[in-house]
Amino acid sequence: MTQDEAKLAVAKRAVEFVEDGMRVGLGSGTTARMFIGELAKRVNEGLKIRCVASSSQSHILGTSLGMDVTTLDELPELDVYIDGADEVGPSLALIKGGGGALLREKIVASAAKRFIVVVDSTKVVDHLGKFPLPVEVIKMAMPLVLPKLAALGLNPKQRAAKSGDGPYITDEGNFILDCACGQIADPERLAADIRKIVGVVEHGLFLNMATLALVAGDDGVTEKKA
Ligand code: 5RP
């Protein structure tokens, strides 16, 4: 099974967790895009749901496929949030933000009763940290935050725009620092240390948030509980 086939398999399985009348949080990234595509098919067959998206890209995609995508103003409580991840570690601790949407993703995830993470098996790890940890930073604070993250040994590097033209800017107008920190021995401690830095808006460690992981590999889709 290729990685794309695995992403599609897990996207199709995730749709089975969505029932009529639910308020659904839509994730961001390539796996979430496939999930949105599969969910839209069900909506166009008559499934009645309302959605909130965790990025402008997912909002636009959902709407363009005929889904009712609104904001947290109208739907501050969600039944389920379904999204991909860059790494899934023990106890369903996650690194997210490879696609740059970590802040809105964490906000939308926090509004949901259940957070189902959808990944291919290459994302499951024994220790978080091989994937660089994204940290979202207020633009003005960049000259202060960067050396503080470096002093924590996190090797921060500012993310460039995909076009290669200037820095990457998030949906909320902030910068991202990708921290090639290597194996994270104590994710809770690291999350607390990063959060203490003034000017950091959010980090990509999603701890005690995901309630279920759907993992696609050569043996099909398996469930991993927190
Ligand atoms: C975006 C994310 C994505 O969920 C994460 O990067 C995984 O993306 P993909 O499904 O494309 O591998 O956190 O900010």
Side-chain angles (χ1 to χ4, degrees):
M1 195 186 268
T2 66
Q3 194 177 25
D4 276 351
E5 285 167 347
K7 286 180 179 186
L8 185 58
V10 81
K12 284 178 188 284
R13 174 64 68 85
V15 168
E16 294 171 15
F17 287 79
V18 180
E19 293 167 12
D20 226 29
M22 276 189 170
R23 300 156 299 177
V24 183
L26 305 175
S28 305
T30 54
T31 316
R33 282 183 78 80
M34 290 189 197
F35 165 69
I36 295 168
E38 293 302 313
L39 189 59
K41 287 184 196 163
R42 293 273 318 279
V43 166
N44 288 310
E45 287 161 7
L47 180 75
K48 296 267 179 295
I49 55 168
R50 300 199 72 201
C51 305
V52 173
S54 60
S55 63
S56 47
Q57 273 195 352
S58 294
H59 189 109
I60 292 165
L61 176 64
T63 308
S64 72
L65 295 175
M67 297 166 76
D68 176 0
V69 189
T70 182
T71 64
L72 290 173
D73 296 308
E74 278 196 56
L75 288 187
E77 287 178 16
L78 302 172
D79 297 292
V80 65
Y81 177 60
I82 298 179
D83 196 1
D86 299 301
E87 283 187 347
V88 179
S91 308
L92 301 189
L94 312 176
I95 287 184
K96 286 188 50 56
L102 65 132
L103 174 57
R104 289 193 181 180
E105 288 172 344
K106 205 176 268 190
I107 292 169
V108 178
S110 75
K113 290 182 200 149
R114 299 186 75 191
F115 173 8
I116 301 175
V117 60
V118 285
V119 289
D120 65 83
S121 56
T122 63
K123 306 280 188 71
V124 179
V125 297
D126 290 332
H127 300 276
L128 296 177
K130 194 167 173 204
F131 190 92
L133 176 66
V135 177
E136 184 157 342
V137 179
I138 294 278
K139 283 180 185 169
M140 176 198 179
M142 186 59 113
L144 308 183
V145 173
L146 195 139
K148 286 184 179 156
L149 290 172
L152 289 174
L154 300 183
N155 299 308
K157 186 164 178 258
Q158 184 164 6
R159 189 178 297 186
K162 285 194 187 93
S163 62
D165 188 16
Y168 180 85
I169 308 289
T170 70
D171 276 346
E172 294 294 336
N174 301 311
F175 289 147
I176 287 194
L177 287 169
D178 289 305
C179 297
C181 46
Q183 201 176 98
I184 300 172
D186 186 344
E188 303 274 355
R189 172 81 188 271
L190 181 62
D193 286 346
I194 295 173
R195 191 170 289 285
K196 273 188 217 148
I197 302 172
V198 176
V200 166
V201 185
E202 198 44 86
H203 55 74
L205 284 167
F206 285 51
L207 308 177
N208 305 309
M209 294 190 84
T211 49
L212 177 70
L214 300 176
V215 182
D218 286 333
D219 302 335
V221 178
T222 53
E223 294 187 9
K224 212 170 144 53
K225 294 202 171 94

